[in-house]
Amino acid sequence: MRSRRGATRQPSACSPRPGYVLVIAEKPKAGERIAGALAQGRPVKCRWRGVPYWVLWRDGSTLVVAPSAGHLYGPYSGERGYPVFSYEWRPLWEFERGSAHLRKFHEMLARLSRGARLYVNACDYDIEGSVIGYMIIYMLGDPRRARRMKFSTLSPLDIRRAYERLEPLDREMVEAGMARHELDWLWGINLSRALMDAVRRASRRRVILSAGRVQTPTLVEAVRRWRERNLHVPKPRFRLRLRLEAGGVEFTAHPRGWEPGSREEASRIASELRAEASLRVSSAGAVERILRPPPAFNLGDLQSEAARIYGYSPMKTQSIAENLYLEALISYPRTNSQKLPPTIDYSWIISRLAALKAGGLGGLAARLLSEARGALRPVQGRKDDPAHPAIYPTGELPRRALSRDEWRIYELIVRRFLAAFSRPARVASTTLVLVDSRGREYEARGVEVVEEGWLAYYHYTRPREGLVPLLKQGEEARILGVSYSTEWSRSSVQLSKSSLVKWMESVGIGTEATRARIVEILFKRGYLESRGGSTVVTGLGEAVADTIEELVPIIAGPELTRRFEELLESIRRGARSRVEVVEEAKQAIRNVVEGFKSRIDAIGERLAVSMGLIEPESRCPICGRESEPGAPAGLCRLHRMALDRLASELPVIASRLGTNIRGALEAIARRGEAGRWVSEAARAALEVPELMSYLARRARPPR
DNA sequence: GCAAGGTC
């Protein structure tokens, strides 16, 4: 009986005689590629309870390629209480919520392991892949009869080459990977239990709290940004705007390198200018910039573009991308790479995309093919990934109508992919410098896209255009009008899911697959909340961040990850052992827990107050948070901080506005640009004499 | 139940 791939099962082929080579892949998709590359002839696709594996023949041996689905094992402890230092590696399906589907993978691998003469770890060539494959071989097979396959892409050539050059098991890499799991487990479980215990003792309530190497620094950063935003004191600036005309073209100019220092000065200069008829051009220059095409997306770039353009959360973008991947429309999305390797058949993919009907994408693909005339070389970004290339469309076309959200993400990926093959764009910018009769300089700028290039494919980063007339030095521009406006500075600090994910990436914590998920955990724990489309930190989030910064500063910032990296590197080099490193961590955690327990009542009380579980002794009259000892009028720490910031900024603001302290305070109390605690403190100071005199004592006149 | 990391 002949069978087509995947169509029919062949019972005899699917239960090969013992003595075969078992090749373990990290996931089904990779297994399929590996089987296809290694088979001489066609691999036979088999299933066990729905999980695929492949049987094939190569140089007279039988190979069975069987996939895992990521990690099948992890540290587990049945022990309650803390500190907890004993654990063992157990199958995840036995104890982890949401891992039930791993059971059939585990059983399939257990069955196939029995008849193998050789085990090959063919998981992704990175630290986690080494652990995934090794644990399966260790638990179900025999590490003494095992080898490692090392390949950097899933191209048939790389896979075949890796199989011809099997290497010994990478034991040091595995030890480093296991150490990573164990260290994260020990720190995370113990600190989380300590926090929960503190609240339970203070309030008799059970609440789920957590801390960890990645989530806690992210929370601390969110708190820092939250405070910065809410403590923002806006400052007024005065912006002069001149409407000019020359040669029939109207345009706008602004002061160049100076600005009016006060409202009074702005008003005086405006009337002086109104009395003049024209400005003289002192110099004119044009420069042309070349904008290189952006590289194809990695997950982080895709997440931030989807957030910028459509307001999608990183988690939403990620799960949409995962669906597109599972439907074979795009390549593997959990990648850090901005590079497209030369081994992929791009002209085939782009010709397939030319058949896309919706959204004009097909037309763009066809246009690219005719523009490129066979020379398809993508730009390469700087970032790389050991296991995967940048995200690209596979050339498979959607078989069903995509939802609006799915289509948007798919379109972003396709457009960005096409742009990577296109030509640079050229943008001309013109700068006119003009002077008035008193020698003050003004500037007018024009921007024009001279050659579209890649902007035709990825138009989301098109520069804003505007024209200025082509004038020469000495020529004049007529003044049509002069105005000035007061602009209050806004806080430039961002706080959103997307900005937190970006921050994590910039300091190197978390991975492509986990960053968005860990930000969601901060919301789930009640540390962060979405209110009216923006992200806020809750009182609980602040209390947890402050508590950990005070008691366990090592885990409050990205430094612990750096420390981990050094330790893991030393294990990989063979300079240190996993046991040694883990024992050291246990000692550090033992000390931390001891310190925590000695102050557990105070910690628990602070956390419980922040959650509203127990009453504080005295509350801030503005917000109801716990009062800070010694603060004026019983303010909390945050409103006291806001008051102090006001005190230091008010004198300058008053002089710019040409008013006194009270006048400046009144202006700030109404400004939407002011941080929330600042405007609240300003309003309170206008009403409560004690606060006003506190301010007056601290507000020093400007030098 | 609690981490972070794989992947479905």
Side-chain angles (χ1 to χ4, degrees):
Chain A
M1 187 179 75
R2 305 281 302 264
S3 88
R4 282 185 301 159
R5 179 151 47 161
T8 331
R9 220 199 289 190
Q10 294 185 329
S12 55
C14 290
S15 316
R17 283 219 319 274
Y20 48 80
V21 178
L22 182 63
V23 177
I24 296 156
E26 186 157 319
K27 47 189 170 280
K29 268 258 150 65
E32 184 175 17
R33 303 282 295 265
I34 292 168
L38 294 183
Q40 293 165 338
R42 267 191 183 143
V44 178
K45 182 175 185 177
C46 309
R47 283 185 185 278
W48 195 81
R49 295 198 180 170
V51 178
Y53 63 93
W54 294 264
V55 178
L56 54 106
W57 294 270
R58 181 176 185 83
D59 299 339
S61 325
T62 307
L63 274 66
V64 176
V65 178
S68 182
H71 285 290
L72 285 191
Y73 299 89
Y76 168 81
S77 174
E79 220 174 278
R80 297 153 72 100
Y82 71 102
V84 48
F85 293 126
S86 61
Y87 51 81
E88 53 181 344
W89 284 71
R90 291 262 292 266
L92 292 175
W93 67 263
E94 289 179 5
F95 62 90
E96 194 166 84
R97 245 189 322 115
S99 297
H101 65 286
L102 294 179
R103 182 172 190 170
K104 46 187 193 287
F105 283 88
H106 190 239
E107 287 176 355
M108 183 257 317
L109 285 160
R111 278 168 58 99
L112 292 173
S113 289
R114 283 183 216 126
R117 69 173 162 84
L118 182 70
Y119 302 87
V120 176
N121 179 2
C123 295
D124 293 351
Y125 188 57
D126 54 30
I127 189 169
E128 299 297 334
S130 292
V131 174
I132 292 169
Y134 177 81
M135 284 308 294
I136 290 166
I137 295 168
Y138 175 77
M139 294 287 195
L140 306 174
D142 181 357
R144 289 167 306 184
R145 288 181 280 131
R147 297 282 184 280
R148 180 75 163 115
M149 230 166 99
K150 295 186 177 176
F151 46 84
S152 53
T153 75
L154 281 174
S155 71
L157 199 69
D158 274 16
I159 292 169
R160 280 195 285 268
R161 193 181 298 149
Y163 188 77
E164 300 306 330
R165 301 179 197 161
L166 289 179
E167 301 201 17
L169 273 193
D170 46 351
R171 287 300 306 260
E172 285 81 11
M173 184 91 130
V174 172
E175 288 295 305
M178 292 178 74
R180 204 278 306 147
H181 282 256
E182 295 172 17
L183 293 175
D184 273 329
W185 189 89
L186 286 165
W187 279 103
I189 300 296
N190 282 300
L191 282 182
S192 301
R193 288 186 182 178
L195 287 171
M196 290 186 277
D197 183 46
V199 172
R200 191 163 56 230
R201 282 161 178 267
S203 69
R204 302 179 176 281
R205 298 280 281 274
R206 285 178 183 274
V207 196
I208 297 179
L209 299 177
S210 62
R213 172 177 59 85
V214 179
Q215 65 169 261
T216 302
T218 308
L219 173 64
V220 167
E221 175 65 13
V223 169
R224 190 191 69 76
R225 291 177 178 218
W226 170 240
R227 289 186 178 157
E228 212 45 56
R229 285 180 70 86
N230 285 304
L231 291 172
H232 175 68
V233 180
K235 282 197 221 149
R237 300 170 79 170
F238 307 95
R239 237 176 114 68
L240 274 175
R241 184 165 171 273
L242 286 75
R243 291 290 306 155
L244 303 173
E245 183 270 335
V249 181
E250 281 190 28
F251 60 105
T252 310
H254 299 279
R256 172 186 164 91
W258 60 277
E259 63 180 30
S262 67
R263 175 176 285 161
E264 187 267 321
E265 191 185 348
S267 152
R268 179 172 51 80
I269 295 171
S271 27
E272 285 168 7
L273 282 169
R274 283 189 198 108
E276 299 193 24
S278 61
L279 298 182
R280 189 174 44 79
V281 175
S282 70
S283 74
V287 283
E288 206 171 86
R289 274 181 307 145
I290 305 284
L291 302 181
R292 268 167 48 86
F297 280 132
N298 62 18
L299 181 60
D301 294 343
L302 174 63
Q303 284 168 325
S304 54
E305 284 293 87
R308 178 176 73 87
I309 298 162
Y310 297 119
Y312 291 176
S313 76
M315 195 63 217
K316 174 171 175 164
T317 300
Q318 182 167 340
S319 50
I320 294 171
E322 273 159 16
N323 280 337
L324 296 174
Y325 162 71
L326 291 176
E327 295 197 28
L329 299 179
I330 61 167
S331 66
Y332 190 75
R334 289 185 289 248
T335 173
N336 182 45
S337 174
Q338 297 170 323
K339 296 183 196 301
L340 291 171
T343 44
I344 296 169
D345 187 349
Y346 299 114
S347 74
W348 182 85
I349 293 175
I350 297 170
S351 354
R352 291 288 303 263
L353 292 174
L356 268 174
K357 290 189 180 68
L361 287 188
L364 284 178
R367 174 172 165 183
L368 180 62
L369 282 177
S370 74
E371 257 180 30
R373 285 192 221 93
L376 286 169
R377 268 199 310 275
V379 291
Q380 305 290 355
R382 206 169 30 81
K383 294 183 183 160
D384 207 352
D385 186 302
H388 310 281
I391 305 173
Y392 61 91
T394 56
E396 295 289 323
L397 300 185
R399 291 186 187 163
R400 59 175 178 89
L402 299 182
S403 71
R404 189 191 63 164
D405 291 344
E406 289 170 330
W407 175 258
R408 283 175 165 177
I409 296 298
Y410 180 68
E411 187 187 14
L412 278 179
I413 291 167
V414 171
R415 285 179 172 272
R416 184 81 165 214
F417 169 76
L418 295 176
F421 292 89
S422 177
R423 285 196 295 253
R426 287 193 301 138
V427 176
S429 56
T430 319
T431 307
L432 288 179
V433 179
L434 306 113
V435 278
D436 64 15
S437 62
R438 289 175 164 81
R440 289 180 292 232
E441 288 192 326
Y442 306 85
E443 185 178 275
R445 283 200 167 193
V447 174
E448 192 185 359
V449 175
V450 186
E451 195 178 313
E452 273 212 303
W454 61 271
L455 289 171
Y457 299 91
Y458 195 80
H459 52 286
Y460 303 102
T461 41
R462 204 184 169 91
R464 193 179 297 166
E465 293 180 83
L467 291 180
V468 295
L470 296 163
L471 295 177
K472 293 197 194 70
Q473 190 181 343
E475 290 187 310
E476 307 241 311
R478 198 156 59 89
I479 300 178
L480 300 178
V482 185
S483 60
Y484 74 88
S485 55
T486 313
E487 259 178 27
W488 292 80
S489 65
R490 293 178 176 278
S491 168
S492 60
V493 178
Q494 291 206 13
L495 178 57
S496 64
K497 290 176 176 178
S498 160
S499 66
L500 288 174
V501 167
K502 260 193 181 160
W503 177 81
M504 295 166 85
E505 196 183 340
S506 73
V507 298
I509 61 175
T511 67
E512 291 301 319
T514 58
R515 285 178 200 126
R517 200 194 305 169
I518 286 171
V519 168
E520 294 297 329
I521 287 174
L522 298 177
F523 282 76
K524 197 170 163 197
R525 297 276 174 271
Y527 299 163
L528 305 183
E529 274 177 17
S530 289
R531 257 181 237 156
S534 58
T535 296
V536 305
V537 177
T538 62
L540 174 62
E542 292 190 70
V544 168
D546 288 347
T547 300
I548 293 187
E549 263 192 298
E550 228 171 86
L551 270 86
V552 204
I554 176 133
I555 206 174
E559 299 75 31
L560 189 59
T561 295
R562 299 291 95 78
R563 178 83 188 120
F564 270 34
E565 282 163 356
E566 285 167 21
L567 291 171
L568 302 191
E569 180 53 34
S570 70
I571 296 174
R572 218 169 353 188
R573 282 201 319 267
R576 305 198 61 187
S577 75
R578 163 163 62 114
V579 172
E580 205 176 289
V581 165
V582 168
E583 283 308 316
E584 235 173 65
K586 287 181 183 172
Q587 193 50 48
I589 292 167
R590 204 170 273 127
N591 294 338
V592 163
V593 166
E594 210 169 284
F596 195 99
K597 283 192 166 169
S598 72
R599 299 175 52 187
I600 197 158
D601 292 336
I603 297 165
E605 206 177 290
R606 178 203 247 174
L607 294 172
V609 166
S610 77
M611 281 184 279
L613 296 177
I614 59 175
E615 277 295 304
E617 278 179 27
S618 141
R619 288 180 179 278
C620 173
I622 300 177
C623 64
R625 285 188 185 85
E626 192 166 19
S627 299
E628 181 185 46
L635 294 189
C636 63
R637 186 155 82 99
L638 305 169
H639 282 104
R640 195 266 307 152
M641 282 164 72
L643 207 63
D644 286 343
R645 289 226 181 165
L646 275 170
S648 69
E649 306 283 6
L650 276 172
V652 173
I653 296 168
S655 98
R656 286 193 191 172
L657 294 173
T659 179
N660 58 14
I661 295 285
R662 176 172 284 272
L665 212 49
E666 279 166 352
I668 286 173
R670 309 191 288 270
R671 296 310 314 178
E673 295 86 351
R676 180 174 165 180
W677 305 329
V678 165
S679 57
E680 287 170 347
R683 284 197 294 273
L686 287 166
E687 283 173 19
V688 182
E690 183 187 350
L691 294 179
M692 185 57 101
S693 61
Y694 177 91
L695 263 185
R697 273 200 309 279
R698 282 175 163 71
R700 299 260 173 276
R703 279 169 287 166

